[in-house]
DNA sequence: AGAATAGTGTCTCTAAGACACTATACT
DNA sequence: AGTATAGTGTCTTAGAGACACTATTCT
C-alpha cells in the first residue's frame, strides 16, 4: 500500500499512536573541556538517570523550531543570545523499543553554544546542568541517548573540519588561540599552534580582523593577541582536516 | 514541561495525531544519466503529480527497515539484489503544513542502486518509474518532495567525495571507466580520465583488482579494461574532492 | 586508416606539517 | 630571570591537476 492510498482512507485515531519528539545535544566549552546540556530524570523509567533535553513537537511547530524552544526552556536563553547558538538537525531515532512506554520517534538536533551560565535551578521540575562529556562513559544515559550523543560528537568533530562553526563556541570576538582551543577540545588532541594560525588566516572568509587586540597577554605570559570576528564563509576551502585515522578508514 | 513529565501522564489518543512516514530518494544511473524512482499519485492532493515512494512506519519496524521495505515494494527487488542497494537516512521533514490533510513527519532516506529493471507495472495501484533527474525542474513534485530531492542530490554528490559508495551504482565488477562515469553523472561535470584512474588506484581499499579484463574494448574503440571489485574501505583517504565552488563557500 | 579509450609518465603548484625563531608580556 | 604565548619564516613532502604519450581495439 502506498502513502497516498494509505492517507486517503486513514483515520488517525484508529492507527497505533506514534509520538514525535525532539531531543537536543547542546555542546559548549567550559574550563577547556567539552560539556553538554543534560537533565536528570525524576520519573520512571530511567529515574535518576541523565537524559537529553527534549519534548513533544507541538501541532504548529516545525521540527527545528521545537528544538530551539526546548533549548530556550532549559537554558533560560532568549533573543539575541539564543539566536547566536548554532542549531541543526542531526538524525532521527525510531527503534520500536527505544522507549518502553510507547512508540516514540525522536528527531535529534545538534547545538553549538558559547559558554553559558548554569541553567537556573528551579525554573523547571527537573534538574538541568552542563555535564562534562568525558565523564559520560561512566554513567549511561537514559533511553538510546548515549548513542545519540556519540553520533552528535562525531558530527561535531566533522563539522569543525569543513565549516567555520567552531566560532559558535566563542564570543563574538576571539583570538586565534581561543579558536585553536575549540578545535583541540572537540577533536580531543593538540593542534600545532603555528600551522593552525597561518591556516586559519589563509582560508577565505573564516575570520576577519577587528583591528584590536586583547587588553592583556595570556595568563602565563605572552604578547597580546589580535582579536577576530567570524567571517562570511559558510564552508571552509580548503578544509581543516583531522589527521586520518586508519581505524575509521577501513 | 519536560519529555519525561509529559510522557508520564500522556494519553496518546487525546493528543493531536502525528503520522510518521518514510520517503525514499532512490538514485540509479541509466543511459549515462541520473534517474530516481518516482510514483505517480492517483488521488488528491497532487493527483497526477510525481512523488517519492514512501509510506507509514509500521508498529514494530525501525525507520531504515521501513524505508527498505518501501523500496522493495516499489522495485520488486528482494534478497541479495536488495541487500546490495545502499540505504541511509537523509533527514526528517516536518513542517506543519507540508501535507494539507494532517500532520505528517517524514523521515527521508537516500538509496544508491545499480541499474535495475523497470518497476513491474501493475504490482501496485500506482504507476512507478525511473525518471531522469534532469527533467524534474519542469514538473514539480508533490508535497515538499522537490526540496527533499534537492537535499538528497547534494548529499549524494558529497558522499562520492569521501566514501566509496560510487561502486554501489555499478555491478559487482566494473572498470575504472565505469566508476568515472558514475562520478561524472552524479557531479554533473567531466572528470579528467588519467588523473582519476591513478587517484582511484592510489586510495587504499577503494577498489581491488580481479585479475580479469573486459571481453571487448570500448564500443568506440580502445583496449580492454581491467576489472575491479569494491574494496574494504568505508572512507576514502585522501578524499576525491570536487573542485571548490565559490558560490557555496560564501 | 582513423578514432576513441586504457593506462602511465612527468611537471607544476598548492597545501600540510615539522621545525625554528623573534617579540612580547606574564609570574 | 624565566617562561609561555603570538605570530612569522622556511623546508620537506604529499597530493591535485594539467599535459603528454603509448598501446590497444573498435568502426
Amino acid at each position: 500500500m502506498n502513502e497516498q492510498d494509505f492517507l486517503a482512507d486513514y483515520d488517525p485515531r484508529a492507527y497505533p499512536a506514534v509520538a514525535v519528539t525532539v531531543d537536543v545535544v547542546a555542546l559548549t566549552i567550559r574550563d577547556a573541556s567539552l560539556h553538554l546540556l543534560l537533565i536528570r530524570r525524576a520519573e520512571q523509567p530511567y529515574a535518576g538517570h541523565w537524559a537529553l533535553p527534549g519534548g513533544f513537537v507541538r501541532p504548529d511547530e516545525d521540527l527545528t523550531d521545537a528544538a530551539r524552544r526546548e533549548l530556550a526552556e532549559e537554558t533560560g536563553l532568549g533573543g539575541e543570545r539564543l539566536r547566536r547558538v548554532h542549531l541543526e538537525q542531526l538524525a532521527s531515532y525510531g527503534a520500536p523499543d527505544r522507549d518502553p512506554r510507547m512508540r516514540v520517534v525522536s528527531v535529534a538536533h545538534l547545538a553549538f553554544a558559547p559558554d553559558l551560565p548554569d541553567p537556573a535551578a528551579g525554573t523547571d521540575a527537573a534538574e538541568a546542568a552542563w555535564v562534562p562529556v568525558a565523564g559520560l562513559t561512566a554513567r549511561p544515559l537514559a533511553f538510546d541517548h548515549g548513542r545519540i550523543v556519540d553520533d552528535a560528537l562525531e558530527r561535531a568533530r566533522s563539522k569543525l573540519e569543513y565549516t567555520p562553526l567552531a566560532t559558535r563556541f566563542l564570543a563574538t570576538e576571539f583570538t586565534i588561540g581561543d579558536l585553536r582551543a575549540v578545535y583541540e577540545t572537540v577533536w580531543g588532541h593538540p593542534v600545532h599552534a603555528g600551522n593552525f594560525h597561518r591556516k586559519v588566516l589563509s582560508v577565505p572568509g573564516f575570520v576577519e580582523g577587528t583591528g584590536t587586540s586583547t587588553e592583556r597577554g595570556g595568563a602565563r605570559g605572552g604578547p597580546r593577541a589580535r582579536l577576530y570576528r567570524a567571517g562570511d564563509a559558510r564552508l571552509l576551502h580548503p578544509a581543516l582536516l583531522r589527521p586520518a585515522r586508519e581505524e575509521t578508514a577501513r
Side-chain angles (χ1 to χ4, degrees), chain A residues 199-220:
Chain A
K199 175 71 188 256
V200 166
L201 296 185
S202 77
V203 175
F206 192 177
V207 299
E208 58 182 26
T210 63
T212 59
S213 294
T214 51
E215 290 292 315
R216 300 175 34 86
R220 283 171 294 181

Side-chain angles (χ1 to χ4, degrees), chain A residues 6 16 29 33 35 38 45 55 74 88-89 114-115 117 122-123 133 146 148 157 170 182 186-187 190 192-193 212:
Chain A
F6 214 120
I29 293 176
S33 74
H35 287 59
L38 293 178
E74 297 301 338
E88 67 178 43
Q89 192 185 304
D115 197 359
T123 49
V133 168
I148 297 176
R157 287 188 281 261
L170 300 170
V182 172
V186 176
W187 284 353
H192 189 285
T212 59

Side-chain angles (χ1 to χ4, degrees), chain A residues 30 37-38 73-76 116-123 126-130:
Chain A
R30 290 194 144 197
L37 185 66
L38 293 178
E73 288 174 8
E74 297 301 338
T75 59
L116 298 174
D118 276 309
T123 49
E127 183 188 356
W130 292 102

Side-chain angles (χ1 to χ4, degrees), chain A residues 1-20:
Chain A
M1 189 179 274
N2 291 321
E3 180 178 359
Q4 70 274 31
D5 303 330
F6 214 120
L7 279 172
D9 51 9
Y10 174 71
D11 174 6
R13 307 284 159 181
Y15 205 80
V18 181
V20 176

